[in-house]
Amino acid sequence: MKDQRIYIHEINRLRSGRKTELYQAMESRGVPLYQKHGVELVGYWETIMGHGPWPETISLWEFENFGHYENFLRSTYAPSDGNFDLRDWQEEKSEWYSGTDSYLCLASSATPSVADHRKSGIKAKMIVHETMHTEPNRQAEYCEIATEMFWRRVAEPAGCALIGIFFSPWKNTRAFNFWGMAEEWEDLNLRGVQADGKAWYDAEDSKLWNTLGLAIRSDFDDRFAVPAPFSTVR
């Protein structure tokens, strides 16, 4: 547990659909400030027209372990050097954010780290973000079952990239999937049409998952999103 990576997953409601100033502030101040404290950005995305709430952004931050997160909190609210830059940044974000739903998460065993993503050179011009409603206290189990039953049998054959599968130990019915949909815009295949001409939702393994998966999940909400220019996965 000591060295287990943890993640902060944020769904940010925006005051306006105008994102230019927000992105400039994130790239010049927010991301460098977090990196100064050892926090790595997995990705930062904006939801798109047609599928999901808008205006909204999705962010995912990686911490080395719980000790790292605890030190980050101390540096935010009781910094030993009297520097409240992290607290000031939290307040500054309110210029653009009207609110945030934030989840402290653990990752599935198959989820790559930020270092793994950089090494692989993963690209994703669009992602699908899924909020899974699991049966109570089965969110961790869902992540491992989804890896075998959905990722390896359905999503990967449909050309998706695994950005990560996460669960919140403190929200006993929540897990989150992040799938990369296309390395380049020319590769975009939202229907997931496979070599046999079937869309992913018509594939036999997908139908099987939609049936068997009901034993562990009750519902899900998803949205499409595209990366910000400073996102690690983009």
Side-chain angles (χ1 to χ4, degrees):
M1 177 67 74
K2 180 180 178 181
D3 295 320
Q4 186 174 19
R5 299 187 306 274
I6 65 171
Y7 295 82
I8 290 181
H9 170 32
E10 299 174 312
I11 301 175
N12 310 299
R13 298 179 296 279
L14 303 186
R15 297 188 182 280
S16 166
R18 299 177 184 272
K19 302 179 183 70
T20 300
E21 289 186 1
L22 166 61
Y23 282 4
Q24 289 173 345
M26 287 294 302
E27 187 167 15
S28 65
R29 297 195 294 283
V31 174
L33 178 60
Y34 283 4
Q35 288 179 332
K36 177 182 176 182
H37 290 270
V39 182
E40 294 285 2
L41 176 65
V42 180
Y44 193 99
W45 299 272
E46 63 178 88
T47 55
I48 66 169
M49 174 183 177
H51 192 57
W54 186 93
E56 176 187 89
T57 62
I58 301 165
S59 51
L60 187 62
W61 306 90
E62 180 185 276
F63 292 75
E64 295 174 5
N65 48 45
F66 277 97
H68 182 197
Y69 177 57
E70 291 164 0
N71 289 335
F72 178 83
L73 295 178
R74 187 178 302 112
S75 296
T76 302
Y77 301 104
S80 58
D81 60 0
N83 186 333
F84 282 88
D85 282 354
L86 285 170
R87 180 75 176 268
D88 292 342
W89 171 247
Q90 288 291 92
E91 294 178 357
E92 185 177 352
K93 287 191 297 183
S94 67
E95 293 185 24
W96 302 285
Y97 295 177
S98 62
T100 293
D101 295 324
S102 188
Y103 300 88
L104 190 61
C105 294
L106 301 178
S108 71
S109 58
T111 293
S113 66
V114 171
D116 293 330
H117 284 316
R118 289 194 176 116
K119 184 177 180 180
S120 70
I122 183 176
K123 293 182 180 180
K125 298 301 183 186
M126 182 180 288
I127 69 163
V128 61
H129 168 281
E130 297 179 311
T131 299
M132 310 305 300
H133 303 250
T134 72
E135 292 301 312
N137 293 318
R138 299 188 70 183
Q139 66 272 39
E141 182 185 2
Y142 163 84
C143 290
E144 302 308 320
I145 293 175
T147 296
E148 294 301 322
M149 291 294 297
F150 185 78
W151 159 244
R152 301 194 194 283
R153 299 182 183 214
V154 180
E156 188 175 28
C160 294
L162 175 62
I163 297 172
I165 303 175
F166 306 90
F167 70 95
S168 172
W170 296 274
K171 186 67 174 177
N172 76 340
T173 59
R174 288 294 180 274
F176 305 95
N177 303 329
F178 290 75
W179 312 112
M181 300 293 285
E183 289 193 358
E184 303 295 343
W185 282 108
E186 293 77 11
D187 303 323
L188 191 59
N189 178 19
L190 292 181
R191 291 184 61 237
V193 177
Q194 302 178 72
D196 61 5
K198 289 185 178 180
W200 67 267
Y201 46 77
D202 287 327
E204 293 305 315
D205 281 333
S206 180
K207 293 178 180 179
L208 181 62
W209 167 244
N210 284 336
T211 299
L212 297 180
L214 293 176
I216 197 168
R217 59 166 170 76
S218 59
D219 200 359
F220 65 91
D221 302 294
D222 60 12
R223 63 237 313 143
F224 293 148
V226 295
F230 53 86
S231 180
T232 302
V233 178
R234 63 181 187 272

